[in-house]
Amino acid sequence: MTEEAETNAPKADPAVSVVGPGDGETIVLGTTHMRVLEDGSHTGHRLAIAESVLAPHTQGPPQHRHAQHDEAFYILSGTVRFTVGDEDHDATTGTLVMVPPGTPHTFANLTDQPAVMLSTFTPDLYVQYFRDLQEVLAGGRPLTPQANIDAMSRYATEPATDFA
Protein backbone atom coordinates (compact mmCIF):
# COMPACT_ATOMS: atom_id res chain seq x y z
CA MET A 1 0.00 0.00 0.00
CA THR A 2 1.34 3.43 -0.84
CA GLU A 3 1.77 6.16 1.76
CA GLU A 4 -1.00 8.21 0.09
CA ALA A 5 -3.44 5.29 0.17
CA GLU A 6 -2.68 4.69 3.85
CA THR A 7 -3.39 8.35 4.65
CA ASN A 8 -6.76 8.29 2.85
CA ALA A 9 -7.84 4.92 4.21
CA PRO A 10 -10.81 4.98 6.59
CA LYS A 11 -9.94 4.77 10.26
CA ALA A 12 -10.82 1.51 12.00
CA ASP A 13 -12.62 3.35 14.83
CA PRO A 14 -13.97 6.73 13.67
CA ALA A 15 -14.87 9.23 16.38
CA VAL A 16 -18.64 9.15 15.91
CA SER A 17 -20.98 10.26 18.67
CA VAL A 18 -24.36 8.55 18.92
CA VAL A 19 -26.89 9.86 21.44
CA GLY A 20 -29.94 7.65 21.82
CA PRO A 21 -33.48 8.70 22.78
CA GLY A 22 -32.85 8.31 26.51
CA ASP A 23 -29.27 9.59 26.47
CA GLY A 24 -27.69 12.99 26.88
CA GLU A 25 -27.19 15.36 29.76
CA THR A 26 -30.44 16.62 31.30
CA ILE A 27 -30.71 20.20 32.54
CA VAL A 28 -33.88 21.24 34.34
CA LEU A 29 -34.62 24.96 34.54
CA GLY A 30 -37.98 25.30 36.21
CA THR A 31 -40.62 24.33 33.65
CA THR A 32 -38.05 23.87 30.88
CA HIS A 33 -36.32 20.52 30.45
CA MET A 34 -33.25 20.50 28.23
CA ARG A 35 -31.41 17.47 26.91
CA VAL A 36 -27.91 18.29 25.72
CA LEU A 37 -27.28 16.09 22.70
CA GLU A 38 -23.85 17.53 21.88
CA ASP A 39 -21.99 19.84 24.25
CA GLY A 40 -19.18 20.57 21.80
CA SER A 41 -16.83 17.91 23.08
CA HIS A 42 -17.20 15.86 19.87
CA THR A 43 -17.10 18.82 17.46
CA GLY A 44 -13.95 20.62 18.52
CA HIS A 45 -16.31 23.08 20.26
CA ARG A 46 -17.64 24.33 16.91
CA LEU A 47 -21.22 23.19 17.53
CA ALA A 48 -23.54 22.25 20.39
CA ILE A 49 -27.07 20.84 20.07
CA ALA A 50 -29.86 20.63 22.65
CA GLU A 51 -33.50 19.58 22.71
CA SER A 52 -35.74 21.66 24.96
CA VAL A 53 -39.26 20.95 26.16
CA LEU A 54 -41.08 24.12 27.21
CA ALA A 55 -44.09 23.50 29.42
CA PRO A 56 -47.28 25.46 28.67
CA HIS A 57 -47.08 29.14 29.68
CA THR A 58 -43.29 29.12 30.05
CA GLN A 59 -41.47 32.43 29.82
CA GLY A 60 -37.97 32.40 28.40
CA PRO A 61 -34.92 34.42 29.38
CA PRO A 62 -34.79 38.22 29.31
CA GLN A 63 -34.31 39.50 25.76
CA HIS A 64 -30.57 39.35 25.05
CA ARG A 65 -27.80 39.50 22.43
CA HIS A 66 -24.94 37.05 21.89
CA ALA A 67 -21.64 38.60 20.81
CA GLN A 68 -19.85 35.43 19.76
CA HIS A 69 -22.25 32.75 18.63
CA ASP A 70 -25.11 31.96 16.32
CA GLU A 71 -28.17 30.29 17.76
CA ALA A 72 -30.77 28.36 15.81
CA PHE A 73 -34.11 26.97 16.98
CA TYR A 74 -36.02 24.31 15.03
CA ILE A 75 -39.54 23.73 16.34
CA LEU A 76 -40.26 20.00 16.59
CA SER A 77 -43.75 20.40 18.06
CA GLY A 78 -46.01 23.10 19.41
CA THR A 79 -45.70 26.86 19.00
CA VAL A 80 -42.95 29.07 20.38
CA ARG A 81 -43.21 32.86 20.38
CA PHE A 82 -39.91 34.50 19.48
CA THR A 83 -39.52 38.17 20.24
CA VAL A 84 -36.82 39.78 18.14
CA GLY A 85 -36.41 43.39 19.12
CA ASP A 86 -39.97 44.71 19.10
CA GLU A 87 -41.33 42.09 16.67
CA ASP A 88 -43.09 38.86 17.64
CA HIS A 89 -42.92 35.70 15.52
CA ASP A 90 -45.01 32.63 16.35
CA ALA A 91 -42.94 29.66 15.19
CA THR A 92 -44.92 26.46 14.66
CA THR A 93 -43.81 22.88 14.03
CA GLY A 94 -41.28 22.73 11.20
CA THR A 95 -40.12 26.35 11.57
CA LEU A 96 -36.44 27.32 11.88
CA VAL A 97 -35.50 30.54 13.64
CA MET A 98 -31.87 31.56 12.99
CA VAL A 99 -30.43 34.20 15.33
CA PRO A 100 -27.05 35.68 14.31
CA PRO A 101 -24.71 37.38 16.78
CA GLY A 102 -25.87 40.80 17.92
CA THR A 103 -29.58 40.18 17.32
CA PRO A 104 -31.83 40.84 20.33
CA HIS A 105 -34.12 37.88 21.03
CA THR A 106 -36.06 35.82 23.53
CA PHE A 107 -38.72 33.12 23.35
CA ALA A 108 -41.69 31.78 25.30
CA ASN A 109 -44.38 29.14 25.08
CA LEU A 110 -47.61 31.09 25.57
CA THR A 111 -49.89 28.19 24.64
CA ASP A 112 -51.71 25.52 26.65
CA GLN A 113 -49.59 22.74 25.06
CA PRO A 114 -45.92 21.81 25.54
CA ALA A 115 -43.50 22.90 22.83
CA VAL A 116 -40.34 21.07 21.81
CA MET A 117 -37.44 22.69 19.99
CA LEU A 118 -34.00 21.66 18.84
CA SER A 119 -31.36 24.34 19.36
CA THR A 120 -27.87 24.72 17.96
CA PHE A 121 -25.12 26.93 19.29
CA THR A 122 -22.12 27.72 17.08
CA PRO A 123 -19.67 27.69 18.69
CA ASP A 124 -20.69 25.68 21.76
CA LEU A 125 -20.03 28.58 24.14
CA TYR A 126 -23.58 28.85 25.53
CA VAL A 127 -24.15 25.30 26.83
CA GLN A 128 -22.30 26.14 30.05
CA TYR A 129 -24.75 29.03 30.63
CA PHE A 130 -27.59 26.50 31.06
CA ARG A 131 -25.47 24.44 33.44
CA ASP A 132 -24.78 27.59 35.46
CA LEU A 133 -28.49 28.37 35.71
CA GLN A 134 -29.18 24.84 36.93
CA GLU A 135 -26.52 25.35 39.63
CA VAL A 136 -28.33 28.51 40.77
CA LEU A 137 -31.52 26.49 41.24
CA ALA A 138 -29.67 23.56 42.85
CA GLY A 139 -28.18 26.01 45.33
CA GLY A 140 -31.67 26.96 46.45
CA ARG A 141 -31.59 30.39 44.86
CA PRO A 142 -34.41 31.64 42.61
CA LEU A 143 -33.83 31.99 38.89
CA THR A 144 -34.38 35.76 38.80
CA PRO A 145 -33.83 38.00 35.77
CA GLN A 146 -30.64 39.24 37.50
CA ALA A 147 -29.36 35.67 37.99
CA ASN A 148 -29.97 35.12 34.26
CA ILE A 149 -28.11 38.31 33.36
CA ASP A 150 -25.19 37.46 35.65
CA ALA A 151 -24.82 34.04 34.00
CA MET A 152 -25.19 35.50 30.50
CA SER A 153 -22.34 37.95 31.10
CA ARG A 154 -19.90 35.05 31.49
CA TYR A 155 -20.67 33.84 27.95
CA ALA A 156 -20.36 36.95 25.76
CA THR A 157 -24.06 37.72 26.13
CA GLU A 158 -25.80 40.83 27.40
CA PRO A 159 -29.40 41.85 28.01
CA ALA A 160 -31.03 43.84 25.21
CA THR A 161 -31.97 46.67 27.54
CA ASP A 162 -33.13 48.85 24.65
CA PHE A 163 -36.03 46.36 24.27
CA ALA A 164 -36.70 45.63 27.96
Side-chain angles (χ1 to χ4, degrees):
M1 190 182 261
T2 68
E3 185 176 320
E4 181 179 332
E6 287 176 20
T7 304
N8 294 330
K11 294 179 182 176
D13 187 14
V16 171
S17 172
V18 177
V19 180
D23 299 336
E25 174 187 358
T26 300
I27 298 175
V28 178
L29 301 173
T31 59
T32 298
H33 292 165
M34 174 181 278
R35 185 167 65 111
V36 179
L37 303 170
E38 171 56 52
D39 67 358
S41 61
H42 297 96
T43 65
H45 301 285
R46 294 179 308 274
L47 170 70
I49 303 171
E51 175 188 67
S52 296
V53 179
L54 308 176
H57 308 286
T58 295
Q59 292 298 316
Q63 192 159 189
H64 58 280
R65 292 180 173 91
H66 305 292
Q68 297 179 2
H69 70 276
D70 294 281
E71 196 169 27
F73 304 89
Y74 182 74
I75 309 307
L76 297 170
S77 66
T79 300
V80 179
R81 161 113 3 125
F82 286 87
T83 301
V84 181
D86 56 5
E87 294 182 22
D88 290 329
H89 304 273
D90 288 333
T92 57
T93 302
T95 301
L96 175 69
V97 176
M98 188 71 222
V99 181
T103 303
H105 66 285
T106 189
F107 57 85
N109 177 4
L110 305 178
T111 74
D112 293 329
Q113 300 298 316
V116 182
M117 61 185 182
L118 191 67
S119 303
T120 63
F121 314 95
T122 51
D124 70 339
L125 178 67
Y126 216 52
V127 171
Q128 189 59 44
Y129 159 77
F130 299 108
R131 292 172 176 150
D132 288 0
L133 292 182
Q134 182 172 251
E135 283 183 28
V136 167
L137 292 170
R141 298 181 311 267
L143 196 53
T144 63
Q146 189 59 50
N148 243 308
I149 290 166
D150 291 346
M152 285 178 183
S153 69
R154 292 191 291 273
Y155 303 100
T157 300
E158 64 183 18
T161 55
D162 45 337
F163 294 102

